[in-house]
Amino acid sequence: MRRRLVRSTAAIAFAAVLIMGVPLGVVQSARERSDELTRLTREADAISAAADDRVEIGQPIPPLVIKQILGSHHRVVIRTPHRAVIALGTTPSGSTVTARSGASTAAVVTVVASANELTDRVRRSWILIAAIGAGAVLAAALLAGIQARRLAAPLEDLAVAADRLGQGDFSSRAGASSVPEIDAVARALNVAARRIAGLVGRQRDLASDAAHQLRTPLTALRVRLESAQLRLEQPELQPELEYAVGESDRLTEIIDDLLRVARDGAAGQQVALALGSFAQEHAQRWARAYAVQGRRIDVDVGPALVARASRGAAGQALEVLLENALRHGAGVVRVTGIRTDGGHVALDVHDEGAGVAADARESVFARGVSSAESTGLGLHLARNLVEADGGRLMLTASSTFQMRYAAWVDPSVPGAGLEPARPEDRDF
């Protein structure tokens, strides 16, 4: 902003100097020429007056008197009525300026001077005008710089406050400046910050209350299941109870992870997540549900694909995609791993169903968008969980859901390590 304002002001000042300076230079050049002719005419008149007196009484014109009047490096030519010609002075070289006496009665006096004198005066006039113009442009640029600093400083402070607010610092406030329009924006931003802080606080309280209310019955359920395991007399049901206990533990972990995302905006500790074993683990959990509908899950993820992600958030996001494929897809569900051109790693989840229309590829992630009897929260939650890890969840043109993460960097390599997730990591 500062540079643009200074450049634009300097350009306007330069244009004004050109519009006014060029005509002024032309007028001054014409004036210098007129002054030069006037000076030579006066010189010729003075010589003519001295010569006329001598001619009228028939005496010769004294050269010494003429030379005292004649200017330096000028030449004078005097023609008397008797056709006598007297030439005195230095003959100028190059182009010349000539003036003839208008007051002569007995002799014709012509004074010749070099045009270099006139050219030098015209050049000095143009240089003076150019110097004044350059000074005006420089002064305008300096004043523009001062004004730009006065306008840009509060805008930069406003941008810093908005950036801190975007990063979750709801205590950030924009200060007042001397510019009414910027102060109005700052007040609006401060009001928005207070409202967002209140809204986020209420949402965190709600999430905390909900997590507490859910964790309590889950804990009681787990105790009852463990008690049933101890008293169970039918060994064939033991695996089912063990599965139920494991699922209750997993539900508790899910609640804890969701609470962490709601409270801190982060999904948890990022680790080196081997996508192959990770995908197999979650596919096995859904294998029974798929088998009931006569369907299956195929996993094709190489062992070399390692992502920088938190296990809980990535697992919940993958569970949402597998459930979505079970409820709304058809045929075999394939989970494949890829490495992108940008050096990231990704899991693709694709089924053999009809897919999603092109104009709905983004809207399916919107909160509340649903089909059939779903709540419309699953895909929205999955995207939030992936983004909390610094990744991205998207739907490709082939109706494939893709969970993309930054690749894990081996911390044992000098100069490399696990960097914290940054907002820009989401724009792969």
Side-chain angles (χ1 to χ4, degrees):
M1 175 182 175
R2 296 186 183 185
R3 292 181 179 178
R4 287 195 297 269
L5 184 57
V6 172
R7 284 198 297 263
S8 62
T9 303
I12 293 172
F14 182 72
V17 167
L18 287 180
I19 293 173
M20 300 183 65
V22 172
L24 179 61
V26 173
V27 171
Q28 184 62 23
S29 298
R31 182 180 177 181
E32 291 291 347
R33 178 175 292 276
S34 176
D35 290 346
E36 178 70 6
L37 290 174
T38 300
R39 283 191 293 271
L40 292 179
T41 301
R42 288 176 182 174
E43 190 174 312
D45 288 342
I47 295 173
S48 175
D52 283 347
D53 293 340
R54 300 288 180 172
V55 172
E56 289 176 356
I57 62 177
Q59 295 182 357
I61 300 173
L64 184 59
V65 174
I66 301 302
K67 289 181 178 181
Q68 290 176 348
I69 301 173
L70 187 64
S72 177
H73 303 295
H74 291 184
R75 181 175 178 80
V76 63
V77 178
I78 304 173
R79 290 181 174 86
T80 65
H82 304 292
R83 297 187 180 277
V85 178
I86 301 173
L88 298 172
T90 304
T91 301
S93 61
S95 59
T96 60
V97 180
T98 303
R100 179 176 294 180
S101 171
S104 176
T105 57
V108 178
V109 180
T110 303
V111 177
V112 181
S114 175
N116 292 335
E117 297 179 8
L118 175 60
T119 302
D120 290 341
R121 283 194 287 269
V122 170
R123 185 183 297 112
R124 286 194 295 268
S125 299
W126 277 106
I127 291 175
L128 179 61
I129 293 173
I132 295 174
V137 173
L138 180 59
L142 291 176
L143 292 175
I146 295 173
Q147 184 67 12
R149 188 180 303 109
R150 176 176 173 268
L151 292 176
L155 286 176
E156 291 170 353
D157 294 341
L158 192 63
V160 170
D163 181 65
R164 290 174 58 189
L165 178 61
Q167 294 178 3
D169 182 5
F170 302 118
S171 64
S172 175
R173 295 293 183 270
S177 67
S178 57
V179 183
E181 292 80 3
I182 297 179
D183 286 343
V185 176
R187 286 193 296 270
L189 180 65
N190 292 340
V191 170
R194 286 192 292 270
R195 291 178 178 174
I196 294 174
L199 178 61
V200 171
R202 289 192 294 272
Q203 288 182 339
R204 288 175 177 175
D205 291 341
L206 177 61
S208 179
D209 294 342
H212 181 269
Q213 293 300 105
L214 289 173
R215 190 185 291 109
T216 300
L218 278 175
T219 301
L221 176 61
R222 190 181 191 286
V223 171
R224 295 287 297 272
L225 289 173
E226 290 176 345
S227 176
Q229 279 184 300
L230 296 175
R231 294 183 285 107
L232 185 65
E233 296 179 356
Q234 299 176 347
E236 65 273 12
L237 295 180
Q238 196 67 237
E240 296 296 330
L241 284 177
E242 291 178 356
Y243 177 79
V245 171
E247 287 299 296
S248 66
D249 290 339
R250 191 171 66 88
L251 287 174
T252 301
E253 293 176 1
I254 290 175
I255 292 173
D256 292 338
D257 290 337
L258 292 177
L259 178 59
R260 186 182 302 108
V261 172
R263 183 181 62 246
D264 304 327
Q269 178 66 34
Q270 291 182 337
V271 297
L273 188 62
L275 295 183
S277 58
F278 167 78
Q280 285 286 358
E281 176 186 346
H282 288 275
Q284 290 174 2
R285 291 180 178 175
W286 285 90
R288 183 179 301 180
Y290 272 80
V292 170
Q293 295 189 11
R295 300 172 60 189
R296 73 174 192 274
I297 304 175
D298 288 344
V299 178
D300 182 16
V301 183
L305 291 181
V306 181
R308 186 180 69 188
S310 58
R311 179 175 296 274
Q316 293 169 46
L318 181 57
E319 296 261 343
V320 169
L321 298 183
L322 294 176
E323 181 187 11
N324 184 77
L326 177 63
R327 300 184 63 178
H328 307 294
V332 178
V333 174
R334 293 179 173 84
V335 181
T336 56
I338 63 170
R339 187 179 298 276
T340 67
D341 294 337
H344 302 94
V345 293
L347 283 180
D348 286 352
V349 179
H350 180 74
D351 62 68
E352 299 174 346
V356 179
D359 57 353
R361 288 175 190 155
E362 279 300 315
S363 62
V364 295
F365 295 104
R367 187 180 182 89
V369 174
S370 63
S371 60
E373 298 179 354
S374 62
T375 61
L377 298 177
L379 292 176
H380 176 76
L381 173 61
R383 170 170 277 189
N384 287 343
L385 290 169
V386 174
E387 289 182 351
D389 264 342
R392 185 178 179 187
L393 174 60
M394 56 186 171
L395 183 61
T396 66
S398 60
S399 292
T400 299
F401 286 96
Q402 185 174 91
M403 296 169 53
R404 187 180 297 189
Y405 294 95
W408 171 264
V409 179
D410 189 352
S412 63
V413 177
L418 179 62
E419 300 178 356
R422 300 167 297 178
E424 56 266 29
D425 288 337
R426 302 176 182 177
D427 300 326
F428 316 143

